[in-house]
Amino acid sequence: MQFKSMVVSNVEVSPGYFRMRMTAPKELEKTLPGQFLMLKVSESIDPLLRRPFGFFDVGVLPAEYAGGADQTYAEILFKVVGKGTKMLSTLHHGDLVDLLAPLGKPFNPGPGGEEKLLVGGGIGLAPLYYLAKELVAKGEKVRLFAGGRNRDDILCITEFERLGVETYVSTDDGTLGESGLVTEVLERHLAPGKRIFACGPTPMLRAVALMAERHQVPCQVSMEAYMACGVGACLGCVLPGAAHTEETPDYRCVCKDGPVFDSFELKWS
Amino acid sequence: MHRPDMTVELAGITLRNPVMTASGTFGYGAEFAEHLDLESIGALITKGLSLRPKAGNPTPRIVETPGGMLNAIGLQNVGIDAFITEKLPYLAKVNTPVIANLYGNTLEEYGEVASRLDALPGVAGVEVNISCPNVKQGGIVFGTDPAAAQEVVRLVRRNTKKPMIVKLSPNVTDVVVMAKACADAGADALSLINTLTGMAIDLDRRRPVLANVTGGLSGPAIKPVALRMVWQVARAVKLPLIGIGGIMNGRDALEFLLAGASAVQVGTASFLDPGAAQRIAAEMEQYLVDHKIAAVASLIGALEV
């Protein structure tokens, strides 16, 4: 659905990273972890296109006074990378944005009782918080592996810890947590009977997907791509499927077939 | 006051209003059914169809530019067979004319696709793409040379009795020459413009942004060029025209009518607002109400110069 939404808060949680809360219609409470929204930051034609963001959180604020109405909200976590996100970072309480949501296929939480391993690289943590919240609510054991170049890329870790998620942090330069790649830490915890949910830069996702295959651990990845429409029409956001070749093309839309894929669905080489 | 008459006639097809969806921006229609009423628009134009399925170009395929976007999708489509079995049954239930956009990798394929479409009662007309800038065959080779364009148009004409629209490229020295060539070869209507060839460069990586290096520019940035070309062609050719290029609202659409278009196509606008085509038709009607204009057709070519 398409709707106008009011910015409730927009906070720089780490240098260059913002967490924004927006009002949302009640229907958005049905949003599933891994789904995304398309946000138009202004009515201007520059920037022209909407920007895709995974849901960092969806929830309900209880009425502030007796007889008041509960308010559904949605949150996104974003990194300032260009014109659109720069403008987004300047929005304040009371500003309006136009949203198209919820879009795309969600994470499949998998059967109960298995350990859920969440792997996030930098801003890739964004869709994992809402997932962690839902998994914890179901009573699942959740571990989070968060990686980044330095401490500034490790976002909202205390939020995860507050849910009761066991967190493992690693940075390339060792300024927070272990020094090294998030995949190295992850590999020590891989064993059959667990399930991986990953989001982050493509090289990290490739490493995680291949590692999951080696260890025979089911793995879902949430992919990012340039997209214009978010509804499967522009065909700008496609990725090659596992069986894709020049002669037998098999392209998948990140917006419609994803953004969450089973790792074996995609071509990694 | 009575509601204004929004209908227009286009090559024998009656449109409930002048707003059509541009090929390549509206999928096969069903993608947008939850975002707008498909029976609120004048006509629906499909993604460009070829004889066999087409994979399209490698990624990145799109990039935003000031006031517009570049795309190099590469005519990815399901192919005529899958269109007939998987897409058309849905569209047949929608009470809106469906116009199939077609292209061929070779001259012969244009004819073959046209003849396959000619047999389908659910298809009200065809739009021949001789102007895709992103693939070598199936487009621009035929769209920049008047003799080659005529050859394609004549061949499609022989293979279809349905109304035939020819979609023109702006990437030519003189669009009027191309328009006349297509008119002489038997086109029933012309749509213009397709995207303008452009490119974007990533300075830091010293590489083109698009995998295809170049792409087609669309969006509000190209509207002035499109208006000029519609106006030029309208003065030179008798055929009905369909204006395309950066239409974002009802006023934009009506400007194209003044310039000489009988109808318009909404493209890039549907990407940022999936309900754009319906909204634009409603905005056009509201303009007529506000200005006490009884029939939208009275604005066609009504520009005072």
Side-chain angles (χ1 to χ4, degrees), chain A residues 8-249:
Chain A
V8 177
S9 60
N10 194 12
V11 180
E12 187 163 18
V13 292
S14 184
Y17 292 98
F18 288 77
R19 176 179 176 181
M20 188 164 100
R21 177 176 286 189
M22 298 161 282
T23 59
K26 189 161 177 56
E27 291 92 322
L28 263 276
E29 288 167 34
K30 290 189 213 119
T31 302
L32 295 167
Q35 290 189 295
F36 71 103
L37 55 83
M38 291 289 277
L39 184 151
K40 184 95 171 84
V41 65
S42 86
E43 286 183 10
S44 155
I45 56 162
D46 189 24
L48 179 68
L49 301 173
R50 290 172 185 272
R51 298 290 188 269
F53 299 97
F55 283 93
F56 178 75
D57 195 11
V58 177
V60 183
L61 285 175
E64 285 174 10
Y65 49 91
D70 293 351
Q71 177 61 59
T72 309
Y73 65 85
E75 288 189 12
I76 58 171
L77 193 62
F78 65 93
K79 181 182 185 178
V80 175
V81 291
K83 194 188 300 177
T85 44
K86 176 78 193 155
M87 284 176 71
L88 195 57
S89 73
T90 65
L91 297 186
H92 294 103
H93 174 84
D95 287 337
L96 291 180
V97 290
D98 191 278
L99 299 186
L100 197 60
L103 300 168
K105 289 206 176 128
F107 286 111
N108 169 8
E114 54 175 23
E115 207 173 279
K116 314 292 183 185
L117 308 178
L118 278 47
V119 190
I123 193 63
L125 279 177
L128 298 180
Y129 177 73
Y130 188 37
L131 175 66
K133 196 170 112 173
E134 297 282 294
L135 289 172
V136 166
K138 287 181 183 163
E140 304 292 347
K141 167 79 181 164
V142 181
R143 293 180 201 269
L144 171 74
F145 301 85
R149 281 188 310 271
N150 60 55
R151 60 192 295 173
D152 292 344
D153 298 329
I154 307 298
L155 311 166
C156 300
I157 286 299
T158 49
E159 298 286 336
F160 285 90
E161 286 171 344
R162 213 171 289 157
L163 292 173
V165 171
E166 212 162 299
T167 60
Y168 304 81
V169 172
S170 50
T171 51
D172 295 357
D173 65 359
T175 46
L176 195 66
E178 276 192 48
S179 177
L181 295 175
V182 66
T183 43
E184 293 160 8
V185 188
L186 171 69
E187 187 150 34
R188 297 203 290 268
H189 290 266
L190 287 186
K194 302 187 180 186
R195 183 174 297 259
I196 298 173
F197 307 83
C199 184
T202 303
M204 182 203 95
L205 293 178
R206 181 183 300 117
V208 171
L210 298 176
M211 192 178 281
E213 197 183 325
R214 275 201 309 279
H215 290 268
Q216 305 210 324
V217 176
C219 173
Q220 294 163 60
V221 291
S222 175
M223 305 301 292
E224 197 171 33
Y226 284 118
M227 61 179 71
C229 71
V231 300
C234 75
L235 304 180
C237 67
V238 298
L239 292 174
H244 174 90
T245 63
E246 284 277 308
E247 298 72 37
T248 56

